[in-house]
Amino acid sequence: MNSDVQIAGDPLAIPHLLPPAPAHPRTVAEFAGLARAVAADRASWAHLVRYDATSRWYHRLRTGPGYEVWLLSWVPGQGSGAHDHGPSSGVLTVLEGELTEITGSTGPLDGARQVLRAGAQRVFAPGYAHEIVNDSLAPAVSLHVYSPGLTEMPMRRPASAATTPRERPPVLTD
């Protein structure tokens, strides 16, 4: 008797043998994949981008069961302020330009800075605190996926090391 078993054809090519495709993302990897797929489909979002010198521009691009996708633009000097995302997890993807993320571990942000260039992706859990700033001389565009959809964005008081001089709290003297 021959112990070598051979299978003719590709069993994965037969649809009824494949697990059903998920109706919507359920894991961190699937949400990051959703963000990459939307980012790659430039025709679906590029024509929507607007730049506003007075405030950050944002547009809800898509919603699904338990998540939403936002498109944001940032002109030089604009920032989010120090915040977290309440009960939502998220994926931030830089589509164009570059943004600086300022993070801290607990309490006020400690000023750890990381430049995120086009294509960079950050994944974060509920309660993750950060600040996003466009420190460059060119506009930037980013994509944000939140799960569940963003219901709150509590602002945090930044440490003076994490702010620009115009944002620092006033110095009190006697």
Side-chain angles (χ1 to χ4, degrees):
M1 173 171 255
N2 187 352
S3 62
D4 292 332
V5 177
Q6 293 184 358
I7 299 175
D10 180 3
L12 297 179
I14 304 170
H16 70 277
L17 295 178
L18 294 174
H24 58 86
R26 293 176 297 212
T27 66
V28 171
E30 289 173 352
F31 278 106
L34 170 65
R36 283 191 301 276
V38 173
D41 186 9
R42 187 174 174 79
S44 71
W45 57 263
H47 67 283
L48 299 170
V49 175
R50 304 287 178 265
Y51 298 100
D52 186 335
T54 60
S55 66
R56 277 184 309 130
W57 174 89
Y58 52 92
H59 173 78
R60 188 165 56 190
L61 193 58
R62 179 187 299 185
T63 60
Y67 73 91
E68 51 187 26
V69 180
W70 290 86
L71 185 63
L72 282 76
S73 71
W74 314 73
V75 299
Q78 286 180 336
S80 65
H83 66 281
D84 68 51
H85 304 91
S88 299
S89 295
V91 178
L92 159 68
T93 305
V94 179
L95 302 175
E96 294 179 355
E98 65 182 44
L99 296 169
T100 300
E101 181 184 38
I102 305 163
T103 59
S105 52
T106 60
L109 302 182
D110 66 11
R113 303 170 80 86
Q114 180 174 6
V115 175
L116 306 172
R117 291 180 174 76
Q121 212 170 37
R122 301 290 281 168
V123 176
F124 52 87
Y128 177 77
H130 68 169
E131 179 174 4
I132 302 295
V133 180
N134 183 349
D135 282 338
S136 74
L137 297 176
V141 179
S142 59
L143 183 79
H144 304 249
V145 179
Y146 299 107
S147 175
L150 195 61
T151 58
E152 58 184 277
M153 197 171 108
M155 299 307 287
R156 303 266 184 116
R157 183 173 175 204
S160 60
T163 60
T164 61
R166 64 173 161 46
E167 296 172 315
R168 286 191 179 130
V171 175
L172 302 177
T173 58
D174 304 292

